[in-house]
Amino acid sequence: MIIGGLTTLIQLFPVFGFGMGLPTVMGVAFAYMPILTTIGMQYDISAIFGAQLVAAFASIFIGMFIGKIRKFFPPIVCDTVVLAIGLSLYNTAINYFGGGSDHRRRVLHYYGRLRP
């Protein structure tokens, strides 16, 4: 949350050309959750951190040229990408809706039916 607050301030008050000078609230997102889950299952946490670091610098680089490449992203393309991200998050959403990944274990432990 601290980082979200700092990035919100950078968006509001641009520093060295970073930020747009508009009151935009920055925060956490779950759009990349399926990708990071796949990376985490095949590798380890250091691969997840490395992927996030590379993606951060790629986002900064793409952001510097967004005005020139915006014509390649009409609304139908953006809407399709957002829909695909939303559909890929159904498993995570249903899992959290049901109490999380270890919900069954916690319930059985609470009622004394789970042996340690």
Side-chain angles (χ1 to χ4, degrees):
M1 296 304 293
I2 293 172
I3 300 299
L6 291 175
T7 55
T8 299
L9 289 174
I10 290 173
Q11 288 293 346
L12 185 57
F13 306 109
V15 177
F16 302 117
F18 290 101
M20 59 184 148
L22 297 172
T24 303
V25 177
M26 304 296 288
V28 298
F30 292 95
Y32 51 85
M33 201 64 185
I35 297 167
L36 293 181
T37 302
T38 304
I39 292 172
M41 289 171 48
Q42 290 182 356
Y43 303 102
D44 60 350
I45 191 77
S46 60
I48 292 175
F49 290 151
Q52 288 180 325
L53 190 62
V54 169
F57 285 112
S59 296
I60 292 171
F61 182 73
I62 291 171
M64 293 189 306
F65 301 104
I66 196 68
K68 296 177 181 164
I69 62 173
R70 188 172 298 252
K71 62 184 174 187
F72 297 114
F73 300 102
I76 189 70
V77 172
C78 297
D79 293 346
T80 305
V81 170
V82 170
L83 177 66
I85 291 169
L87 292 176
S88 70
L89 289 172
Y90 268 144
N91 289 336
T92 304
I94 290 172
N95 189 20
Y96 281 122
F97 182 73
S101 61
D102 65 340
H103 177 69
R104 183 175 184 275
R105 183 190 61 78
R106 286 185 285 141
V107 168
L108 291 176
H109 184 70
Y110 177 78
Y111 287 111
R113 296 182 185 154
L114 181 69
R115 296 184 190 144

